[in-house]
Amino acid sequence: MAYSALDRLQLKVVGKVASLMMAMPAPREHHEQFRMTVVRAEWAGPHIRRITFAAEEFTAYTVTGPDEYFGLIMPPPGEAEPVMPPERLNVRQAIQKMPADRRPDLRWYTVRAHRPEAGEIDVDFILHGDAGPGSRWAGAAEPGWVAGFRAGGSSYRRAAPGERQLLVADETGMPALSAILESLPAPAEGITALVEVPGESYRLPVTAAVEPRYLYRGEAPAGTLALPELAGEPMADLGYAWVCGEAGLASGVRRHLVKERGVDRRRIMFSGYWKVGQARL
Ligand SMILES: Cc1cc2nc3c(=O)[nH]c(=O)nc-3n(C[C@H](O)[C@H](O)[C@H](O)COP(=O)(O)OP(=O)(O)OC[C@H]3O[C@@H](n4cnc5c(N)ncnc54)[C@H](O)[C@@H]3O)c2cc1C
C-alpha cells in the first residue's frame, strides 16, 4: 500500500526536526495493519499480563529493532472485533476521522518476542487498573479475543564495539529494555541498564549478558530514584543513551544528561511512554 504524497512529506518534516533534537529511531517504510487473536493470556506478576497474539501475517512480519513497538487497536466496549482504520501514515488522524460509534481505541506497546515460525508475538502489559482502554482490555483479555495490530517501528541504536551506552526505563519501558539487553551479543561491555519500578513484583526475568539494575520507588513518582542514581554514574565517554518511560522520567533524565553532564542531545533517544493524568493516544 502506497502512502499519499502529503503523508510522505509529513514524515520527512517530522524526521528532519526530530534529528536535530535527539538520536533518531529506525524508519519503517510500511506500517502493516491486520487483525490478530489472543491465544494465551498469563499473569507474569500481580500487575503484569503476558499476552500472546497470533496472526498469519506474523509469519512474514519483520521487526526493525529489539524495542519494536506497535499500535494495539481495540474494539469499543461491547464489540467483539475492532473496525480497522483506513491505512494512513498518521493512524491517530485516521482513527479520529472514523464515525464515533465505530471508532476503535489505540494504545502503543512493545513486541516483547516475535516467533515468525508460529505466527505469534508476546506482549507484556503492565496493568494500572481500568483507567484507560489499554490496561482495561489487557486485564480482561481471554483466548479468542480479537484486536488490531498496527506496525510501529523501533528506536534503539545498536552499540558499536566498546561504545558506552546508558539504558533507562520504568515498568512500561521494561519490556523494551529487556528485549534490547537480550539482543546484545556477549560480552556486552560498557552497558549500564537502570529500571525503576514500583516494587519487586514488577521484576521480569531477562536472559542476557547484562543484568539490569532495579530500583524500587514504591508510591513515589517515576524518576524519583533514577535521577539521583544517574548523578553517581560517569558520563564523560557516553556514546548513546536510550531513555523510555513516564514522560517526567524521560524528560528529566534527558535534561540531566544534556544540561548537567554535557551529553550531546543527538546521542539521546528519549520517549514519554505515558504521562501522569493524561491518556497516551
Ligand atoms: C513506544 C511505546 C511502547 C510501549 N510499550 C509498553 C509495553 O510494552 N507495556 C506496557 O504496559 N506499556 C507500554 N507502553 C506504555 C502504554 O502505551 C501507556 O501506559 C498507555 O498510557 C496505556 O494506555 P491506557 O489505555 O492503559 O491508559 P491511558 O488511557 O493512556 O491513560 C489513562 C490514565 O492512566 C494513566 N496511566 C497510563 N499508563 C499508566 C501506567 N503504566 N501506570 C500508571 N498510570 C498509567 C494515565 O496517566 C492516565 O491518567 C508503551 C508506550 C509507547 C509509546
Side-chain angles (χ1 to χ4, degrees):
M1 144 102 201
Y3 295 121
S4 68
L6 187 63
D7 275 346
R8 292 204 169 277
L9 180 67
Q10 192 184 14
L11 185 70
K12 213 169 155 182
V13 171
V14 170
K16 186 70 196 159
V17 172
S19 72
L20 301 173
M21 306 296 291
M22 65 178 198
M24 280 302 286
R28 180 182 272 281
E29 274 301 303
H30 176 230
H31 300 264
E32 303 99 306
Q33 285 185 188
F34 48 85
R35 287 192 181 81
M36 58 186 181
T37 305
V38 174
V39 289
R40 276 184 298 284
E42 288 159 3
W43 290 96
H47 313 283
I48 306 177
R49 207 126 196 254
R50 174 163 292 181
I51 298 187
T52 301
F53 296 93
E56 178 62 34
E57 288 86 345
F58 286 133
T59 57
Y61 164 79
T62 49
V63 295
T64 59
D67 58 336
E68 185 78 24
Y69 60 88
F70 73 99
L72 176 74
I73 298 170
M74 294 158 279
E79 298 291 325
E81 292 192 12
V83 176
M84 295 297 278
E87 282 207 22
R88 291 283 316 273
L89 203 52
N90 189 334
V91 65
R92 293 182 185 93
Q93 229 172 51
I95 287 180
Q96 272 318 308
K97 286 187 175 161
M98 292 170 74
D101 58 334
R102 295 160 60 92
R103 196 177 294 152
D105 283 306
L106 170 74
R107 293 292 184 273
W108 301 93
Y109 292 94
T110 302
V111 176
R112 178 66 181 85
H114 174 219
R115 289 180 295 281
E117 66 291 352
E120 290 181 354
I121 61 165
D122 294 335
V123 183
D124 287 342
F125 291 88
I126 318 305
L127 304 184
H128 59 97
D130 285 347
S135 182
R136 189 166 52 235
W137 190 92
E142 302 279 0
W145 281 31
V146 176
F149 178 92
R150 151 82 184 196
S154 64
S155 311
Y156 175 71
R157 168 165 81 56
R158 283 185 191 286
E163 183 184 38
R164 267 231 331 118
Q165 291 206 353
L166 173 69
L167 312 174
V168 184
D170 72 355
E171 58 275 22
T172 62
M174 177 178 59
L177 186 143
S178 305
I180 291 170
L181 291 181
E182 287 174 0
S183 77
L184 297 173
E189 281 158 359
I191 312 278
T192 302
L194 290 185
V195 184
E196 192 205 80
V197 295
E200 204 163 347
S201 64
Y202 284 81
R203 218 176 152 134
L204 281 175
V206 182
T207 315
V210 180
E211 274 285 309
R213 198 186 313 161
Y214 277 88
L215 306 168
Y216 303 126
R217 69 170 185 270
E219 300 286 314
T224 300
L225 299 183
L227 278 163
E229 184 80 6
L230 285 176
E233 289 285 327
M235 296 291 170
D237 60 342
L238 189 70
Y240 176 74
W242 177 100
V243 188
C244 293
E246 200 281 319
L249 175 143
S251 58
V253 170
R254 177 180 186 258
R255 197 176 316 114
H256 171 76
L257 294 178
V258 174
K259 297 239 186 288
E260 290 167 41
R261 312 302 295 276
V263 178
D264 184 336
R265 65 184 63 199
R266 287 164 303 181
R267 292 184 179 274
I268 307 168
M269 202 316 286
F270 75 113
S271 176
Y273 273 13
W274 63 283
K275 188 165 186 178
V276 173
Q278 271 185 36
R280 176 61 157 96
L281 305 178

